[in-house]
Amino acid sequence: APPLPLGCSPSVRVGDPLPGNPDIHVPSPLARGPVRSHPPPMPPPEPVSLRVRTVGVFRFSWRALNLVWTTSRPLTLAFAALTLVAGTLPAGLAWVGKLIVDSVVAAVADPAHATGPTIRFLAIEAGLIIALGATQRAIGVCQSLLRALLGQRVNVMILEKALTLDLASFEDSEF
């Protein structure tokens, strides 16, 4: 028979719980340490409706948007407008790309077809690509400026709140 771990009587077998601590079991002589039993599995959380989850996500959205709006109205408006423009430009690029393909197909089918419209569509496509790049760059600038201004504003709000508290509030660990 294999030797028993120290402190165990001969009636204790490998895998039995140790006296006084049912979470630790008698290890096998080949094991390197005590074997802990796994805690019982947690019951699954109660299902939450989609409506409750959606309301929970947007619960503080209006406060956050108001904080951004009061930080800088012009930057917020510019950010929103640029985001709308950046969202519509890819559709314009796709449409002009379709016009380019149609123009090239028409030129291949009829050699007498003028190449002027194709070149004009290519210029429009290039302009839209430049506009999309510029719009994305402007969105990044607006976002960076808003982030900096918002961080400064939140710090000022924290300091203003701290000024309204008395010294006892800072010394109380429960506060």
Side-chain angles (χ1 to χ4, degrees):
L4 293 174
L6 289 176
C8 292
S9 67
S11 63
V12 176
R13 295 178 307 199
V14 171
D16 287 345
L18 285 176
N21 193 345
D23 287 339
I24 299 179
H25 296 271
V26 175
S28 162
L30 303 175
R32 293 186 172 241
V35 179
R36 296 195 178 272
S37 66
H38 296 288
M42 296 289 293
E46 293 186 24
V48 180
S49 71
L50 179 63
R51 182 174 182 262
V52 171
R53 283 186 288 170
T54 304
V55 169
V57 167
F58 296 110
R59 186 173 170 187
F60 296 105
S61 295
W62 290 113
R63 289 183 70 186
L65 287 174
N66 186 39
L67 185 62
V68 172
W69 177 256
T70 56
T71 298
S72 175
R73 288 185 177 114
L75 274 176
T76 305
L77 287 173
F79 183 70
L82 289 168
T83 301
L84 288 173
V85 170
T88 57
L89 281 176
L93 284 166
W95 181 67
V96 173
K98 177 217 173 279
L99 294 176
I100 292 170
V101 170
D102 291 346
S103 179
V104 168
V105 167
V108 168
D110 181 16
H113 184 71
T115 58
T118 306
I119 294 173
R120 186 181 59 204
F121 292 143
L122 286 171
I124 292 171
E125 181 95 1
L128 287 174
I129 290 172
I130 292 169
L132 182 61
T135 304
Q136 289 173 342
R137 181 71 175 205
I139 287 173
V141 169
C142 285
Q143 192 174 22
S144 296
L145 290 172
L146 269 173
R147 184 182 303 123
L149 290 173
L150 189 60
Q152 182 183 7
R153 175 135 190 263
V154 169
N155 283 337
V156 168
M157 291 170 67
I158 291 170
L159 291 174
E160 286 173 349
K161 180 64 178 178
L163 289 174
T164 64
L165 301 173
D166 57 346
L167 187 57
S169 299
F170 288 104
E171 294 176 350
D172 185 10
S173 64
E174 296 292 320
F175 183 68

